[in-house]
Amino acid sequence: NGRPKTVFAALREEIASPSLSFLMEAHNGLSAKIVEEAGFRGIWASGLTGSASLGLRDSNEASWTQVLDTLEYMADATSLPILVDGDTGYGNFNNVRRLVRKLCERGIAGVCIEDKLFPKTNSFIGEAQPLADIDEFCGRIKAGKDSQTDDDFILVARVEALISGRGMEEALRRAEAYHAAGADAILIHSKKSTATEIFEFTERWANRSPVVIVPTMYYATSTDLFRQAGISTIIWANHLLRSSMTAMRETARRIFEDQSLREVEGRVASVRDIFALVGNAELEAAERRYLPGK
Ligand code: SPV
Ligand code: MG
């Protein structure tokens, strides 16, 4: 119909297409722009890094409307589709309904919800985190899907059974139930240092629905093996925040020790680079058009 593809259709294409896709983490407008500049086709709005960038823990310390406010800056800053880490959905089915409606209003293309309980904690903390009841979580999935106001909105259901030590059978049982409840994709999460349990899952799941993975802990596995396993989407979940921490520490230490900027200038992005990234050229053009005497 000649209209530009919506962000919803764009994310659906990434997740549903048989070829391997990649989502890169961002946590604010600036990092969203950097993801787009690098050439990625979609953004993961991580709960961990969004929280950390506010100085908070990944334990639902930021309210869901504060998350929504950050997402609005990210959506404004980029044309890429955003899959937001919706944690547990911030409550029960009713909280998921309102969350999904608001995400659709703000042009956020999809949400991932995990089968744990509010307030959640990060998957890499502790052992045997309590999981949600399967039927109750299926209610959250159905409520989310029934509340989307764009047909292409994506709901990813995240299975935490392997993370919480409940085993492969439980993971498969849950994936099956969430698929039947209407999830558009299954995120199977693992905290092992190798991808063995991921590959066992994908083999037995046999692509009944698209599979999303987060290889933060099994980072050394070759991407070709994920491709061969038929995985739909890889999330690089936290690496812009982590790299910025390294860079900021180095710069802060240097300036603190030197009491001078001499060593640092030239190693950090220039002020002009900031202007370029946030689009000052567009504002100058607009001033020539709208401001008298420009
Ligand atoms: C996140 O990025 O917030 C995630 C992925 O949910 S993980 O930190 O692995 O739980
Ligand atoms: Mg998270």
Side-chain angles (χ1 to χ4, degrees), residues 148-191:
Q148 68 188 47
T149 55
D150 189 293
D151 289 345
D152 287 320
F153 182 83
I154 289 278
L155 189 148
V156 178
R158 166 163 156 183
V159 175
E160 290 279 292
L162 302 179
I163 293 283
S164 70
R166 302 274 284 269
M168 188 59 64
E169 300 309 320
E170 179 73 10
L172 286 158
R173 183 160 49 246
R174 284 174 174 267
E176 192 64 61
Y178 305 161
H179 176 50
D184 297 288
I186 296 295
L187 191 161
I188 183 68
H189 204 11
S190 167
K191 59 182 179 183

mmCIF file of all heavy atoms in Angstrom, residues 148-191:
data_model
loop_
_atom_site.group_PDB
_atom_site.id
_atom_site.type_symbol
_atom_site.label_atom_id
_atom_site.label_comp_id
_atom_site.label_asym_id
_atom_site.label_seq_id
_atom_site.Cartn_x
_atom_site.Cartn_y
_atom_site.Cartn_z
ATOM 1 N N GLN A 148 -3.357 -6.061 22.601
ATOM 2 C CA GLN A 148 -2.535 -5.331 21.623
ATOM 3 C C GLN A 148 -3.447 -4.592 20.656
ATOM 4 O O GLN A 148 -4.510 -5.091 20.273
ATOM 5 C CB GLN A 148 -1.586 -6.285 20.898
ATOM 6 C CG GLN A 148 -2.245 -7.285 19.983
ATOM 7 C CD GLN A 148 -1.244 -8.314 19.466
ATOM 8 O OE1 GLN A 148 -0.458 -8.879 20.219
ATOM 9 N NE2 GLN A 148 -1.262 -8.563 18.158
ATOM 10 N N THR A 149 -3.032 -3.378 20.292
ATOM 11 C CA THR A 149 -3.858 -2.587 19.374
ATOM 12 C C THR A 149 -3.234 -2.526 17.985
ATOM 13 O O THR A 149 -3.729 -1.817 17.116
ATOM 14 C CB THR A 149 -4.072 -1.160 19.923
ATOM 15 O OG1 THR A 149 -2.789 -0.570 20.189
ATOM 16 C CG2 THR A 149 -4.884 -1.183 21.200
ATOM 17 N N ASP A 150 -2.142 -3.254 17.791
ATOM 18 C CA ASP A 150 -1.587 -3.419 16.442
ATOM 19 C C ASP A 150 -1.423 -4.925 16.222
ATOM 20 O O ASP A 150 -0.877 -5.623 17.085
ATOM 21 C CB ASP A 150 -0.229 -2.701 16.321
ATOM 22 C CG ASP A 150 0.257 -2.665 14.876
ATOM 23 O OD1 ASP A 150 0.571 -3.766 14.326
ATOM 24 O OD2 ASP A 150 0.307 -1.577 14.289
ATOM 25 N N ASP A 151 -1.890 -5.400 15.076
ATOM 26 C CA ASP A 151 -1.885 -6.848 14.807
ATOM 27 C C ASP A 151 -0.483 -7.440 14.835
ATOM 28 O O ASP A 151 -0.319 -8.638 15.070
ATOM 29 C CB ASP A 151 -2.502 -7.139 13.426
ATOM 30 C CG ASP A 151 -4.002 -6.900 13.434
ATOM 31 O OD1 ASP A 151 -4.572 -6.804 14.548
ATOM 32 O OD2 ASP A 151 -4.582 -6.785 12.337
ATOM 33 N N ASP A 152 0.522 -6.628 14.551
ATOM 34 C CA ASP A 152 1.886 -7.144 14.468
ATOM 35 C C ASP A 152 2.652 -7.071 15.782
ATOM 36 O O ASP A 152 3.807 -7.486 15.831
ATOM 37 C CB ASP A 152 2.663 -6.389 13.376
ATOM 38 C CG ASP A 152 2.204 -6.792 11.984
ATOM 39 O OD1 ASP A 152 1.945 -7.993 11.770
ATOM 40 O OD2 ASP A 152 2.091 -5.909 11.123
ATOM 41 N N PHE A 153 2.017 -6.520 16.832
ATOM 42 C CA PHE A 153 2.704 -6.469 18.137
ATOM 43 C C PHE A 153 3.171 -7.880 18.509
ATOM 44 O O PHE A 153 2.457 -8.860 18.297
ATOM 45 C CB PHE A 153 1.752 -5.928 19.203
ATOM 46 C CG PHE A 153 2.373 -5.786 20.566
ATOM 47 C CD1 PHE A 153 3.120 -4.661 20.886
ATOM 48 C CD2 PHE A 153 2.202 -6.775 21.533
ATOM 49 C CE1 PHE A 153 3.702 -4.524 22.149
ATOM 50 C CE2 PHE A 153 2.777 -6.648 22.799
ATOM 51 C CZ PHE A 153 3.527 -5.520 23.103
ATOM 52 N N ILE A 154 4.371 -7.948 19.081
ATOM 53 C CA ILE A 154 4.989 -9.244 19.408
ATOM 54 C C ILE A 154 5.015 -9.448 20.925
ATOM 55 O O ILE A 154 5.434 -8.550 21.663
ATOM 56 C CB ILE A 154 6.448 -9.283 18.879
ATOM 57 C CG1 ILE A 154 6.483 -9.378 17.353
ATOM 58 C CG2 ILE A 154 7.252 -10.387 19.533
ATOM 59 C CD1 ILE A 154 6.299 -10.768 16.807
ATOM 60 N N LEU A 155 4.556 -10.617 21.359
ATOM 61 C CA LEU A 155 4.715 -10.990 22.767
ATOM 62 C C LEU A 155 5.611 -12.229 22.838
ATOM 63 O O LEU A 155 5.264 -13.275 22.282
ATOM 64 C CB LEU A 155 3.368 -11.253 23.436
ATOM 65 C CG LEU A 155 3.433 -11.446 24.965
ATOM 66 C CD1 LEU A 155 2.171 -10.930 25.647
ATOM 67 C CD2 LEU A 155 3.705 -12.892 25.361
ATOM 68 N N VAL A 156 6.757 -12.050 23.466
ATOM 69 C CA VAL A 156 7.701 -13.158 23.657
ATOM 70 C C VAL A 156 7.511 -13.686 25.070
ATOM 71 O O VAL A 156 7.520 -12.900 26.030
ATOM 72 C CB VAL A 156 9.159 -12.682 23.461
ATOM 73 C CG1 VAL A 156 10.138 -13.821 23.709
ATOM 74 C CG2 VAL A 156 9.361 -12.079 22.076
ATOM 75 N N ALA A 157 7.350 -15.001 25.199
ATOM 76 C CA ALA A 157 7.223 -15.615 26.531
ATOM 77 C C ALA A 157 8.566 -16.224 26.909
ATOM 78 O O ALA A 157 9.133 -17.028 26.175
ATOM 79 C CB ALA A 157 6.144 -16.686 26.521
ATOM 80 N N ARG A 158 9.057 -15.795 28.071
ATOM 81 C CA ARG A 158 10.398 -16.231 28.497
ATOM 82 C C ARG A 158 10.291 -17.336 29.542
ATOM 83 O O ARG A 158 9.661 -17.161 30.584
ATOM 84 C CB ARG A 158 11.136 -15.021 29.043
ATOM 85 C CG ARG A 158 12.396 -15.335 29.814
ATOM 86 C CD ARG A 158 13.224 -14.075 29.919
ATOM 87 N NE ARG A 158 14.118 -14.067 31.035
ATOM 88 C CZ ARG A 158 14.900 -13.030 31.335
ATOM 89 N NH1 ARG A 158 14.843 -11.922 30.603
ATOM 90 N NH2 ARG A 158 15.707 -13.084 32.364
ATOM 91 N N VAL A 159 10.954 -18.444 29.236
ATOM 92 C CA VAL A 159 10.924 -19.628 30.091
ATOM 93 C C VAL A 159 12.150 -19.601 31.003
ATOM 94 O O VAL A 159 13.284 -19.621 30.534
ATOM 95 C CB VAL A 159 10.926 -20.905 29.213
ATOM 96 C CG1 VAL A 159 11.021 -22.146 30.086
ATOM 97 C CG2 VAL A 159 9.693 -20.941 28.315
ATOM 98 N N GLU A 160 11.893 -19.581 32.309
ATOM 99 C CA GLU A 160 12.978 -19.508 33.296
ATOM 100 C C GLU A 160 13.248 -20.857 33.980
ATOM 101 O O GLU A 160 13.988 -20.921 34.958
ATOM 102 C CB GLU A 160 12.643 -18.448 34.342
ATOM 103 C CG GLU A 160 12.706 -17.018 33.817
ATOM 104 C CD GLU A 160 14.125 -16.469 33.785
ATOM 105 O OE1 GLU A 160 14.729 -16.248 34.850
ATOM 106 O OE2 GLU A 160 14.637 -16.268 32.663
ATOM 107 N N ALA A 161 12.674 -21.933 33.438
ATOM 108 C CA ALA A 161 12.791 -23.241 34.096
ATOM 109 C C ALA A 161 14.242 -23.718 34.191
ATOM 110 O O ALA A 161 14.646 -24.291 35.207
ATOM 111 C CB ALA A 161 11.940 -24.275 33.354
ATOM 112 N N LEU A 162 15.031 -23.496 33.144
ATOM 113 C CA LEU A 162 16.441 -23.938 33.194
ATOM 114 C C LEU A 162 17.221 -23.081 34.185
ATOM 115 O O LEU A 162 18.033 -23.588 34.963
ATOM 116 C CB LEU A 162 17.078 -23.866 31.795
ATOM 117 C CG LEU A 162 16.389 -24.683 30.695
ATOM 118 C CD1 LEU A 162 17.099 -24.496 29.357
ATOM 119 C CD2 LEU A 162 16.347 -26.169 31.075
ATOM 120 N N ILE A 163 16.938 -21.781 34.181
ATOM 121 C CA ILE A 163 17.581 -20.849 35.112
ATOM 122 C C ILE A 163 17.327 -21.269 36.563
ATOM 123 O O ILE A 163 18.220 -21.227 37.401
ATOM 124 C CB ILE A 163 17.023 -19.416 34.898
ATOM 125 C CG1 ILE A 163 17.440 -18.858 33.534
ATOM 126 C CG2 ILE A 163 17.393 -18.491 36.045
ATOM 127 C CD1 ILE A 163 18.847 -18.367 33.420
ATOM 128 N N SER A 164 16.097 -21.683 36.844
ATOM 129 C CA SER A 164 15.748 -21.979 38.244
ATOM 130 C C SER A 164 15.965 -23.456 38.579
ATOM 131 O O SER A 164 15.475 -23.924 39.610
ATOM 132 C CB SER A 164 14.305 -21.552 38.524
ATOM 133 O OG SER A 164 13.434 -22.419 37.836
ATOM 134 N N GLY A 165 16.675 -24.168 37.691
ATOM 135 C CA GLY A 165 17.061 -25.541 38.003
ATOM 136 C C GLY A 165 15.916 -26.544 37.946
ATOM 137 O O GLY A 165 15.963 -27.602 38.575
ATOM 138 N N ARG A 166 14.867 -26.239 37.193
ATOM 139 C CA ARG A 166 13.709 -27.140 37.145
ATOM 140 C C ARG A 166 13.797 -28.158 36.009
ATOM 141 O O ARG A 166 12.918 -29.012 35.881
ATOM 142 C CB ARG A 166 12.427 -26.326 37.023
ATOM 143 C CG ARG A 166 12.240 -25.326 38.161
ATOM 144 C CD ARG A 166 11.576 -25.971 39.363
ATOM 145 N NE ARG A 166 10.167 -26.124 39.103
ATOM 146 C CZ ARG A 166 9.245 -25.218 39.423
ATOM 147 N NH1 ARG A 166 9.603 -24.109 40.025
ATOM 148 N NH2 ARG A 166 7.988 -25.429 39.145
ATOM 149 N N GLY A 167 14.806 -28.039 35.167
ATOM 150 C CA GLY A 167 15.070 -29.094 34.192
ATOM 151 C C GLY A 167 14.408 -28.908 32.840
ATOM 152 O O GLY A 167 13.528 -28.068 32.647
ATOM 153 N N MET A 168 14.862 -29.739 31.889
ATOM 154 C CA MET A 168 14.454 -29.630 30.491
ATOM 155 C C MET A 168 12.980 -29.982 30.277
ATOM 156 O O MET A 168 12.296 -29.327 29.486
ATOM 157 C CB MET A 168 15.340 -30.546 29.639
ATOM 158 C CG MET A 168 15.168 -30.391 28.153
ATOM 159 S SD MET A 168 15.505 -28.714 27.534
ATOM 160 C CE MET A 168 17.257 -28.534 27.897
ATOM 161 N N GLU A 169 12.492 -31.011 30.973
ATOM 162 C CA GLU A 169 11.085 -31.409 30.758
ATOM 163 C C GLU A 169 10.161 -30.267 31.158
ATOM 164 O O GLU A 169 9.191 -29.960 30.458
ATOM 165 C CB GLU A 169 10.741 -32.679 31.560
ATOM 166 C CG GLU A 169 11.580 -33.904 31.214
ATOM 167 C CD GLU A 169 11.644 -34.211 29.711
ATOM 168 O OE1 GLU A 169 10.596 -34.075 29.036
ATOM 169 O OE2 GLU A 169 12.741 -34.553 29.222
ATOM 170 N N GLU A 170 10.481 -29.639 32.274
ATOM 171 C CA GLU A 170 9.673 -28.514 32.748
ATOM 172 C C GLU A 170 9.756 -27.348 31.757
ATOM 173 O O GLU A 170 8.752 -26.696 31.463
ATOM 174 C CB GLU A 170 10.160 -28.080 34.139
ATOM 175 C CG GLU A 170 9.420 -26.908 34.756
ATOM 176 C CD GLU A 170 8.012 -27.259 35.233
ATOM 177 O OE1 GLU A 170 7.659 -28.461 35.268
ATOM 178 O OE2 GLU A 170 7.253 -26.307 35.547
ATOM 179 N N ALA A 171 10.961 -27.120 31.222
ATOM 180 C CA ALA A 171 11.133 -26.028 30.244
ATOM 181 C C ALA A 171 10.270 -26.290 29.011
ATOM 182 O O ALA A 171 9.577 -25.384 28.512
ATOM 183 C CB ALA A 171 12.602 -25.894 29.855
ATOM 184 N N LEU A 172 10.293 -27.509 28.517
ATOM 185 C CA LEU A 172 9.514 -27.846 27.314
ATOM 186 C C LEU A 172 8.011 -27.783 27.595
ATOM 187 O O LEU A 172 7.236 -27.304 26.762
ATOM 188 C CB LEU A 172 9.903 -29.244 26.812
ATOM 189 C CG LEU A 172 11.281 -29.276 26.123
ATOM 190 C CD1 LEU A 172 11.858 -30.687 26.130
ATOM 191 C CD2 LEU A 172 11.186 -28.730 24.693
ATOM 192 N N ARG A 173 7.608 -28.267 28.785
ATOM 193 C CA ARG A 173 6.184 -28.231 29.148
ATOM 194 C C ARG A 173 5.699 -26.773 29.179
ATOM 195 O O ARG A 173 4.640 -26.435 28.667
ATOM 196 C CB ARG A 173 6.004 -28.894 30.512
ATOM 197 C CG ARG A 173 4.560 -28.980 30.983
ATOM 198 C CD ARG A 173 4.338 -30.029 32.072
ATOM 199 N NE ARG A 173 5.305 -29.939 33.169
ATOM 200 C CZ ARG A 173 6.206 -30.879 33.439
ATOM 201 N NH1 ARG A 173 6.282 -31.988 32.719
ATOM 202 N NH2 ARG A 173 7.051 -30.724 34.460
ATOM 203 N N ARG A 174 6.514 -25.917 29.766
ATOM 204 C CA ARG A 174 6.141 -24.508 29.855
ATOM 205 C C ARG A 174 6.126 -23.850 28.469
ATOM 206 O O ARG A 174 5.202 -23.098 28.141
ATOM 207 C CB ARG A 174 7.096 -23.761 30.807
ATOM 208 C CG ARG A 174 6.794 -24.060 32.264
ATOM 209 C CD ARG A 174 7.795 -23.464 33.226
ATOM 210 N NE ARG A 174 7.345 -23.695 34.588
ATOM 211 C CZ ARG A 174 6.614 -22.849 35.328
ATOM 212 N NH1 ARG A 174 6.295 -21.674 34.838
ATOM 213 N NH2 ARG A 174 6.231 -23.162 36.545
ATOM 214 N N ALA A 175 7.145 -24.129 27.653
ATOM 215 C CA ALA A 175 7.184 -23.542 26.310
ATOM 216 C C ALA A 175 5.931 -23.942 25.522
ATOM 217 O O ALA A 175 5.307 -23.104 24.846
ATOM 218 C CB ALA A 175 8.449 -23.999 25.582
ATOM 219 N N GLU A 176 5.561 -25.200 25.634
ATOM 220 C CA GLU A 176 4.364 -25.698 24.928
ATOM 221 C C GLU A 176 3.112 -24.943 25.395
ATOM 222 O O GLU A 176 2.293 -24.496 24.584
ATOM 223 C CB GLU A 176 4.218 -27.205 25.219
ATOM 224 C CG GLU A 176 3.218 -27.922 24.358
ATOM 225 C CD GLU A 176 3.625 -27.920 22.885
ATOM 226 O OE1 GLU A 176 4.690 -28.464 22.568
ATOM 227 O OE2 GLU A 176 2.870 -27.357 22.070
ATOM 228 N N ALA A 177 2.986 -24.791 26.698
ATOM 229 C CA ALA A 177 1.802 -24.105 27.248
ATOM 230 C C ALA A 177 1.774 -22.638 26.807
ATOM 231 O O ALA A 177 0.715 -22.111 26.441
ATOM 232 C CB ALA A 177 1.810 -24.197 28.772
ATOM 233 N N TYR A 178 2.910 -21.983 26.820
ATOM 234 C CA TYR A 178 2.951 -20.559 26.468
ATOM 235 C C TYR A 178 2.695 -20.376 24.976
ATOM 236 O O TYR A 178 2.045 -19.411 24.556
ATOM 237 C CB TYR A 178 4.301 -19.933 26.863
ATOM 238 C CG TYR A 178 4.673 -20.113 28.332
ATOM 239 C CD1 TYR A 178 5.980 -19.962 28.769
ATOM 240 C CD2 TYR A 178 3.701 -20.451 29.279
ATOM 241 C CE1 TYR A 178 6.319 -20.131 30.112
ATOM 242 C CE2 TYR A 178 4.039 -20.634 30.618
ATOM 243 C CZ TYR A 178 5.344 -20.475 31.020
ATOM 244 O OH TYR A 178 5.675 -20.659 32.338
ATOM 245 N N HIS A 179 3.191 -21.306 24.173
ATOM 246 C CA HIS A 179 2.926 -21.295 22.733
ATOM 247 C C HIS A 179 1.418 -21.439 22.487
ATOM 248 O O HIS A 179 0.817 -20.664 21.725
ATOM 249 C CB HIS A 179 3.711 -22.433 22.085
ATOM 250 C CG HIS A 179 3.471 -22.611 20.630
ATOM 251 N ND1 HIS A 179 3.539 -21.573 19.725
ATOM 252 C CD2 HIS A 179 3.158 -23.724 19.907
ATOM 253 C CE1 HIS A 179 3.284 -22.035 18.518
ATOM 254 N NE2 HIS A 179 3.040 -23.327 18.598
ATOM 255 N N ALA A 180 0.822 -22.404 23.171
ATOM 256 C CA ALA A 180 -0.630 -22.634 23.010
ATOM 257 C C ALA A 180 -1.440 -21.423 23.486
ATOM 258 O O ALA A 180 -2.521 -21.143 22.962
ATOM 259 C CB ALA A 180 -1.049 -23.892 23.775
ATOM 260 N N ALA A 181 -0.911 -20.696 24.465
ATOM 261 C CA ALA A 181 -1.627 -19.523 24.984
ATOM 262 C C ALA A 181 -1.531 -18.327 24.041
ATOM 263 O O ALA A 181 -2.198 -17.314 24.247
ATOM 264 C CB ALA A 181 -1.080 -19.147 26.363
ATOM 265 N N GLY A 182 -0.669 -18.434 23.021
ATOM 266 C CA GLY A 182 -0.631 -17.372 22.010
ATOM 267 C C GLY A 182 0.660 -16.577 21.936
ATOM 268 O O GLY A 182 0.720 -15.583 21.197
ATOM 269 N N ALA A 183 1.701 -17.001 22.662
ATOM 270 C CA ALA A 183 2.985 -16.283 22.575
ATOM 271 C C ALA A 183 3.512 -16.356 21.139
ATOM 272 O O ALA A 183 3.415 -17.392 20.488
ATOM 273 C CB ALA A 183 3.998 -16.901 23.540
ATOM 274 N N ASP A 184 4.079 -15.260 20.668
ATOM 275 C CA ASP A 184 4.606 -15.221 19.301
ATOM 276 C C ASP A 184 5.972 -15.891 19.195
ATOM 277 O O ASP A 184 6.387 -16.284 18.104
ATOM 278 C CB ASP A 184 4.727 -13.768 18.829
ATOM 279 C CG ASP A 184 3.372 -13.088 18.765
ATOM 280 O OD1 ASP A 184 2.605 -13.440 17.857
ATOM 281 O OD2 ASP A 184 3.074 -12.237 19.626
ATOM 282 N N ALA A 185 6.682 -15.972 20.310
ATOM 283 C CA ALA A 185 7.999 -16.608 20.319
ATOM 284 C C ALA A 185 8.293 -17.044 21.744
ATOM 285 O O ALA A 185 7.693 -16.542 22.700
ATOM 286 C CB ALA A 185 9.076 -15.630 19.836
ATOM 287 N N ILE A 186 9.246 -17.978 21.867
ATOM 288 C CA ILE A 186 9.687 -18.452 23.180
ATOM 289 C C ILE A 186 11.129 -18.003 23.385
ATOM 290 O O ILE A 186 11.985 -18.240 22.527
ATOM 291 C CB ILE A 186 9.626 -20.000 23.257
ATOM 292 C CG1 ILE A 186 8.181 -20.504 23.122
ATOM 293 C CG2 ILE A 186 10.279 -20.508 24.552
ATOM 294 C CD1 ILE A 186 7.242 -20.100 24.245
ATOM 295 N N LEU A 187 11.372 -17.340 24.519
ATOM 296 C CA LEU A 187 12.762 -17.051 24.897
ATOM 297 C C LEU A 187 13.165 -18.114 25.910
ATOM 298 O O LEU A 187 12.567 -18.217 26.982
ATOM 299 C CB LEU A 187 12.898 -15.647 25.490
ATOM 300 C CG LEU A 187 14.339 -15.130 25.690
ATOM 301 C CD1 LEU A 187 14.336 -13.596 25.822
ATOM 302 C CD2 LEU A 187 15.060 -15.736 26.883
ATOM 303 N N ILE A 188 14.137 -18.935 25.519
ATOM 304 C CA ILE A 188 14.637 -19.939 26.450
ATOM 305 C C ILE A 188 15.934 -19.410 27.036
ATOM 306 O O ILE A 188 16.887 -19.131 26.313
ATOM 307 C CB ILE A 188 14.805 -21.332 25.775
ATOM 308 C CG1 ILE A 188 15.258 -22.374 26.781
ATOM 309 C CG2 ILE A 188 15.706 -21.289 24.547
ATOM 310 C CD1 ILE A 188 14.237 -22.741 27.833
ATOM 311 N N HIS A 189 15.928 -19.223 28.376
ATOM 312 C CA HIS A 189 17.089 -18.595 28.997
ATOM 313 C C HIS A 189 17.916 -19.645 29.731
ATOM 314 O O HIS A 189 17.380 -20.632 30.252
ATOM 315 C CB HIS A 189 16.650 -17.491 29.956
ATOM 316 C CG HIS A 189 17.703 -16.441 30.181
ATOM 317 N ND1 HIS A 189 18.835 -16.348 29.432
ATOM 318 C CD2 HIS A 189 17.790 -15.428 31.098
ATOM 319 C CE1 HIS A 189 19.575 -15.335 29.855
ATOM 320 N NE2 HIS A 189 18.968 -14.767 30.867
ATOM 321 N N SER A 190 19.236 -19.411 29.725
ATOM 322 C CA SER A 190 20.183 -20.325 30.374
ATOM 323 C C SER A 190 21.304 -19.500 30.977
ATOM 324 O O SER A 190 21.690 -18.470 30.421
ATOM 325 C CB SER A 190 20.741 -21.296 29.330
ATOM 326 O OG SER A 190 21.866 -21.999 29.843
ATOM 327 N N LYS A 191 21.826 -19.979 32.110
ATOM 328 C CA LYS A 191 22.973 -19.278 32.709
ATOM 329 C C LYS A 191 24.219 -20.151 32.711
ATOM 330 O O LYS A 191 25.190 -19.862 33.399
ATOM 331 C CB LYS A 191 22.622 -18.802 34.121
ATOM 332 C CG LYS A 191 22.215 -19.892 35.078
ATOM 333 C CD LYS A 191 21.842 -19.300 36.437
ATOM 334 C CE LYS A 191 21.398 -20.390 37.386
ATOM 335 N NZ LYS A 191 20.957 -19.894 38.684
#
